[in-house]
Amino acid sequence: MIDIDMIRDLSNAFGPSGFEEEVVKVIGRYLKGMEVDNDAMNNVYAWFRKPGSTDVGHGTGSGVPGDACSGDGYSVDGCARDACSGRKPVIMLDAHTDECGFMVQGIMDNGLLSMVMLGGMDLSSLPAHTVLVRTRSGKKVRGIITSRPVHFMTEKERNAPLDIKGIYIDVGASSREEAEETYGIRIGDPAAPEVAFDYDGDHGLCFGKAFDNRMGCACIIHTMRELQGMDQELAVDVVGAFAAQEEVGMRGACVTAARIQPDLAIVFEGSPADDFYYGREKAQGVMRAGVQIRCMDKSYITNPAFLAYAHELGEEKGIPCQDTVRRGGSTNAGKISLAGRAVPTLVLGIPSRYVHSHYNFCAVEDIEAAVRMAVEVIRGLDSRRIGLLMHRDILE
């Protein structure tokens, strides 16, 4: 059962890139009973171990030793980790916490705020929408992104492309002094879309902001909760890694992958749905069609053995899924898969309409499919499967 209250709190949290503190606090509240810590970049780590597991790098800032001599036939040959440590391989569950937003770049004499974007948003979707500017005191000030009334526009201006340098945030101030002294706004303050989450239970439909990637964060928490409730001893240790600053260059994942040094990874992503832009024969991100498995994007090519494993489980367990090959875009898999000696990585997406804009839709059934796929992947891992995912069979 998907925890709608948790998704509401995650979606509503203020958290543009570099300013994810509220999201960190929400994650901490919903990971009660697990070991949780964070670092100076706002990355969050959740350390989950079944009874009999050993320490998974918690609090050390170092890597996670793999199981080199456990007696089950699995050997991490050539790995820099301690041999014969008796420790299990580690699978990292990744999702990023930040959302697309803005930063105050300047304060005009008339009180308007010039801005830069944190992450990529379509400029045409911005005018006349509201945002919250967070001041250094923590106060949130509502603003409207400027839009010129048609009464004051020539025909040429109506059809001209927008430029971020000509788009401002209006908080209601009439001078620079008022913006600074009355509203408390300073250059460098962050801003994010102002949208309240809502859930349509009759249709299993979530509405809100930042589904890229608060839905992925929810998937990590749900997956770890499912694993917590199982009696089965797992062949791997599991670490949840909630990474900051993905929208500005996958920066947090560089840190989380270096700290955890995973053997395997699952990346959850609020992926852009394309079912309103293409016909069914071409669409690869269809809402209500199940978890989206990413084969390729601009930063990453999937591990084919991992892809085959996911398909096998989808057919065996009846988990709806859809494959996608993206010409552009990227996820944290682009950094994680390149970490260490290479990390087999599976990207699981929740198709979400209108990501990188103020308002999003996604279906609960697709969230459920992503969580089920992750849980079954982890449950089914054994020494043979891990060896195949790491391509240990190719030179045999």
Side-chain angles (χ1 to χ4, degrees), residues 160-176:
L162 296 174
D163 184 340
I164 190 66
K165 296 177 183 177
I167 302 175
Y168 301 87
I169 299 173
D170 182 354
V171 296
S174 297
S175 67
R176 180 185 180 115

Side-chain angles (χ1 to χ4, degrees), residues 358-378:
H358 271 59
Y359 312 106
N360 307 156
F361 276 135
C362 79
V364 164
E365 62 199 81
D366 294 333
I367 304 172
E368 292 172 339
V371 172
R372 286 185 59 205
M373 178 64 78
V375 169
E376 293 301 335
V377 163
I378 296 167

Side-chain angles (χ1 to χ4, degrees), residues 1-46:
M1 180 70 69
I2 297 300
D3 186 339
I4 297 300
D5 288 337
M6 176 179 67
I7 291 177
R8 175 180 289 105
D9 290 346
L10 286 168
S11 175
N12 286 343
F14 181 97
S17 304
F19 302 90
E20 302 91 349
E21 295 87 355
E22 279 192 21
V23 190
V24 170
K25 291 177 181 178
V26 172
I27 290 169
R29 288 205 310 270
Y30 284 98
L31 284 173
K32 295 298 184 185
M34 299 184 198
E35 296 178 59
V36 182
D37 67 3
N38 64 294
D39 61 27
M41 193 182 189
N42 282 332
N43 300 307
V44 182
Y45 305 85

